[in-house]
Amino acid sequence: MSNTAGLVIPCKAAVSWEAGKPLVIQQVEVAPPQAMEVRVKIKYTSLCHTDLYFWEAKGQTPIFPRIFGHEAAGIVESVGKGVSDLQVGDHVLPVFTGECGDCAHCRSEESNMCDLLRINTDRAVMLSDGKSRFSINGNPINHFLGTSTFSEYTVVHSGCLVKVDPLAPLDKICILSCGISTGLGATLNVAKPKKGSSVAIFGLGAVGLAAAEGARIAGASRIIGIDLNPNRFEEAKKFGVTEFVNPREHDIPVQQVIAEMTNGGVDRSVECTGNINAMVSAFECVHDGWGVAVLVGVPNKDAVFMTKPINLLNERTLRGTFFGNYKPRTDLPSVVNMYMNKKLELDKFITHRLPFSEINKAFEYMVKGEGLRCIISMED
Ligand code: NAD
Ligand code: ZN
């Protein structure tokens, strides 16, 4: 038992009060975990583009005040009633989509869309009682993705926590709790390129480059990176991307550029931008007969996907995935092992580090498209 178990913990959190405005680091009170919940001391967190969309709240439901953050690593501080598989001191990765272990999805080999704990961007409270565990002067502060990792302590449903090897460095593997596993899994588990095939990656941020890493591991011979930001291309060379296309440099649609480069289309494509036009291009650039396109980017809530049905009749496949189809609790420990066994490099995704007090800078880097992942240390 930790000496804070059962007590409210006052600690620092970065609270977002208004869309697009800097977060405010201030004291919040974190209530003890209820049934099936766990309170976690966050050690490191990073910023994923999904945090940014909901903070900007342009194409998403605005919910404020809110504590964002979902890519992180921490240590269990205390557990609520009924939690038997996690204990004080365990090293954990919180994941925005959970695994109850019991529902039809958790029992299916094909799905990671747990009925109980699947991603829900608009829920801002805990499942058990519909209440928040964060408050300031008695006023509740909203949760985000069931994780809210921009806080020194947070409360998470135990089904959204993955116990990991205590020897794995938390300041590196925190990026496996969302972006890197998502991109890697989108390629390895969903697109499944064959050895020697061609793969197009739309969006060369951390998620897209993790998808490129998946293509490299699968033995793809051509990896074509597409981005509007030319600064991305230099960085992407370290990830095995072999060719680059900037849609802005062409006066024909990018899907046509790719079809011309590849004698009719790529074998697989993975979209990691969140932009609806890129999603359509990613689908239309795959080869007829066998091409598979996988959507990963989080779209504006009102975006509509439009393509001619003939593109599907011509035997192209369109798929989408959350968290790269990994079941977080079952599969993530093996992704951590890939890193520990040097089959997966994480260092090259980490381009910036900041103390928690400077978290707003991490938002600025991402808005400007500078670098890949920024690790925020809660203790500096
Ligand atoms: P990022 O901002 O680091 O990278 C996105 C890249 O896409 C940028 O380099 C940007 O220049 C590029 N881009 C934007 N619009 C484009 C367009 N029309 N054509 C080509 N390139 C374009 O973001 P990230 O953190 O790597 O996240 C990528 C996407 O994945 C986001 O939409 C994020 O919300 C989503 N995401 C989804 C899941 C999931 O489970 N499905 C998980 C994590 C992140
Ligand atoms: Zn994310």
Side-chain angles (χ1 to χ4, degrees):
M1 278 263 288
S2 62
N3 49 17
T4 43
L7 303 175
V8 168
I9 298 184
C11 70
K12 274 187 284 174
V15 184
S16 180
W17 290 93
E18 218 182 308
K21 294 280 155 64
L23 312 187
V24 182
I25 304 237
Q26 59 191 115
Q27 184 168 304
V28 299
E29 318 223 287
V30 185
Q34 300 302 305
M36 299 314 286
E37 296 172 1
V38 174
R39 192 160 54 184
V40 179
K41 182 174 178 28
I42 298 294
K43 301 288 282 182
Y44 299 93
T45 185
S46 42
L47 179 61
C48 162
H49 212 124
T50 312
D51 295 304
L52 208 79
Y53 296 140
F54 286 83
W55 165 75
E56 288 176 330
K58 285 181 185 152
Q60 310 298 346
T61 315
I63 299 175
F64 296 95
R66 203 169 198 187
I67 298 176
F68 289 108
H70 63 282
E71 202 175 86
I75 296 177
V76 172
E77 175 271 338
S78 62
V79 303
K81 244 195 236 148
V83 177
S84 54
D85 50 1
L86 286 167
Q87 315 181 18
V88 179
D90 281 347
H91 288 202
V92 287
L93 301 181
V95 180
F96 64 83
T97 198
E99 186 179 350
C100 75
D102 269 343
C103 71
H105 290 271
C106 287
R107 285 198 304 266
S108 154
E109 259 178 42
E110 291 174 320
S111 173
N112 68 342
M113 298 301 296
C114 173
D115 267 336
L116 183 70
L117 301 169
R118 70 168 63 176
I119 182 171
N120 182 335
T121 55
D122 289 348
R123 186 170 56 228
V125 292
M126 297 308 287
L127 269 178
S128 67
D129 57 1
K131 290 190 181 141
S132 172
R133 301 287 171 262
F134 298 109
S135 61
I136 295 178
N137 299 327
N139 299 313
I141 307 293
N142 292 296
H143 290 249
F144 179 60
L145 296 184
T147 50
S148 292
T149 60
F150 297 162
S151 175
E152 290 176 312
Y153 287 87
T154 188
V155 177
V156 179
H157 192 286
S158 58
C160 297
L161 285 172
V162 180
K163 183 172 162 172
V164 294
D165 179 353
L167 297 176
L170 296 179
D171 68 327
K172 305 267 168 70
I173 63 163
C174 61
I175 59 174
L176 290 176
S177 95
C178 177
I180 308 311
S181 304
T182 293
L184 188 73
T187 305
L188 292 179
N189 303 336
V190 189
K192 298 185 181 161
K194 297 199 174 106
K195 208 162 186 280
S197 60
S198 57
V199 180
I201 308 285
F202 285 73
L204 303 175
V207 177
L209 292 175
E213 198 67 356
R216 188 187 57 79
I217 292 170
S221 58
R222 292 181 75 181
I223 306 177
I224 304 172
I226 299 103
D227 205 299
L228 300 172
N229 175 357
N231 298 334
R232 291 293 193 205
F233 298 149
E234 205 38 54
E235 215 146 35
K237 288 183 187 155
K238 290 185 225 150
F239 295 81
V241 181
T242 55
E243 292 150 87
F244 299 94
V245 179
N246 187 339
R248 289 205 172 115
E249 286 170 5
H250 299 269
D251 33 3
I252 52 170
V254 63
Q255 49 271 51
Q256 216 171 308
V257 176
I258 294 170
E260 284 172 13
M261 286 166 74
T262 54
N263 202 15
V266 281
D267 301 313
R268 299 289 186 266
S269 76
V270 186
E271 176 280 329
C272 307
T273 70
N275 178 283
I276 186 67
N277 300 321
M279 292 181 187
V280 174
S281 303
F283 172 60
E284 293 182 354
C285 80
V286 299
H287 208 287
D288 56 5
W290 59 79
V292 179
V294 179
L295 306 187
V296 175
V298 173
N300 277 5
K301 66 176 164 42
D302 300 322
V304 176
F305 188 97
M306 280 209 275
T307 191
K308 294 186 176 143
I310 190 70
N311 293 328
L312 286 145
L313 297 184
N314 286 340
E315 303 186 355
R316 292 182 183 86
T317 303
L318 178 60
R319 300 201 55 184
T321 175
F322 278 114
F323 203 53
N325 199 241
Y326 285 119
K327 288 187 197 290
R329 305 193 95 196
T330 304
D331 299 332
L332 206 46
S334 69
V335 183
V336 172
N337 282 345
M338 274 174 84
Y339 165 69
M340 297 300 275
N341 300 333
K342 302 195 167 31
K343 291 201 182 103
L344 173 67
E345 268 183 60
L346 293 180
D347 295 69
K348 60 187 178 185
F349 290 99
I350 300 170
T351 53
H352 296 85
R353 287 186 179 269
L354 285 173
F356 189 36
S357 57
E358 294 182 43
I359 188 169
N360 286 302
K361 262 197 200 159
F363 279 73
E364 284 168 31
Y365 293 144
M366 189 162 265
V367 169
K368 289 192 203 142
E370 262 179 50
L372 298 171
R373 281 303 194 249
C374 176
I375 308 290
I376 297 155
S377 166
M378 304 307 284
E379 269 159 21
D380 301 335

